Amino acid sequence: MKKNITGSKLAQLKQQGQKISAITAYDASFSEVFATQGVDIQLVGDSLGMVLQGNDSTIPVTVDEIAYHVKCVQAGNKGSLLIADMPFMSYATPEQTWTNAATLMRAGANMVKLEGGSWLLESIEGLTIRGIPVCAHLGLTPQSVNVFGGYKVQGREEDQAQLMIDDAIALQNAGAQLLVVECVPSSLGKRLSEALTIPVIGIGAGPHCDGQILVMHDMLGISTGYIPKFSKNFIKQTGDIHLAIAAYVDEVSSGAFPGPEHCFE
Ligand code: KIV
């Protein structure tokens, strides 16, 4: 079990070349298992709109729903850093951002996550000044699925890739302490991790990121139907939830996960 993971502890892990493990969590019981097995970060993701509520996107999720699950996860947590997703349109203006982030922090979050690039600079600076740590999210940002026209790999063209790197540096300079990058070629995951001093946590972003995150329902074999290429079912090899989480933490830490079969070129 790891105790009291903070943003500065995560920065230290990056400096030391130690990989960071992260997972989505939605309730106290799983939270305790994840923390006990040494998961560094738990994210109450708006993926709950899909895996808990059965929607086909994250768009219907509300701040109150995230806050409810943050309370549940923090109740079982034993030292992981707890990040709360700010759901669709809850940070459309800086004022909305302060109010909604405050609700999530009061519910027990240690950090909030926002999807988007340089249009968020004022919000990120404002949150940081007001004492709210921020995780940024680039690449395939699921709240923009209707703009992207589907869940597609991002940053394959060099101009898109460079824009993402420029955005990431600007977000870091505005105060973001962490970056999640989703569904990009491994080469771009590597460039982002090298360009930033803050840790880069990948999901479908290759093995060179500073850490990895997966949706718990995918990696525990609960999800049916479409399983993303970047995920891995750790129950298949272990047959036990505690052992599956321990194997995930070990494989992230050793670099065994993600393998080439989980990556995009
Ligand atoms: O909502 C979520 O679970 C996420 C992860 C997939 C990174 O944003």
Side-chain angles (χ1 to χ4, degrees), residues 52-254:
L52 298 192
Q53 297 174 340
N55 300 309
D56 62 3
S57 81
T58 59
I59 287 171
V61 177
T62 65
V63 172
D64 287 346
E65 287 167 349
I66 297 278
Y68 169 79
H69 289 280
V70 165
K71 269 190 196 153
C72 297
V73 170
Q74 199 55 291
N77 188 15
K78 291 191 163 29
S80 306
L81 181 89
L82 174 51
I83 304 180
D85 246 345
M86 296 202 64
F88 179 66
M89 289 300 279
S90 67
Y91 49 100
T93 66
E95 286 68 27
Q96 264 184 330
T97 312
W98 323 144
T99 308
N100 290 322
T103 299
L104 299 178
M105 295 299 283
R106 286 195 192 101
N110 305 125
M111 188 178 275
V112 296
K113 177 164 82 60
L114 290 74
E115 297 183 4
S118 51
W119 69 274
L120 286 174
L121 296 181
E122 186 186 346
S123 296
I124 292 179
E125 228 170 72
L127 286 170
T128 305
I129 290 168
R130 288 164 177 80
I132 301 184
V134 175
C135 173
H137 185 160
L138 289 173
L140 171 54
T141 45
Q143 290 168 20
S144 301
V145 62
N146 292 309
V147 174
F148 294 142
Y151 296 99
K152 298 175 184 166
V153 178
Q154 302 295 307
R156 278 204 158 119
E157 304 301 326
E158 178 51 30
D159 56 341
Q160 284 180 353
Q162 192 53 56
L163 182 63
M164 210 182 293
I165 294 168
D166 294 344
D167 272 356
I169 292 171
L171 295 166
Q172 170 181 272
N173 292 343
Q177 293 192 13
L178 210 58
L179 173 69
V180 166
V181 62
E182 180 163 353
C183 282
V184 301
S186 299
S187 55
L188 179 52
K190 181 169 191 281
R191 286 167 70 188
L192 283 162
S193 306
E194 288 171 355
L196 299 188
T197 54
I198 60 172
V200 175
I201 310 298
I203 173 161
H208 307 291
C209 295
D210 304 304
Q212 302 291 329
I213 183 162
L214 288 177
V215 172
M216 60 163 277
H217 289 64
D218 295 342
M219 60 92 74
L220 291 177
I222 300 166
S223 301
T224 53
Y226 173 73
I227 306 292
K229 169 186 166 84
F230 54 72
S231 198
K232 174 173 173 181
N233 181 340
F234 284 84
I235 282 285
K236 264 193 191 151
Q237 72 195 57
T238 57
D240 173 275
I241 288 172
H242 297 255
L243 295 178
I245 301 303
Y248 171 61
V249 171
D250 271 4
E251 290 192 22
V252 169
S253 163
S254 69

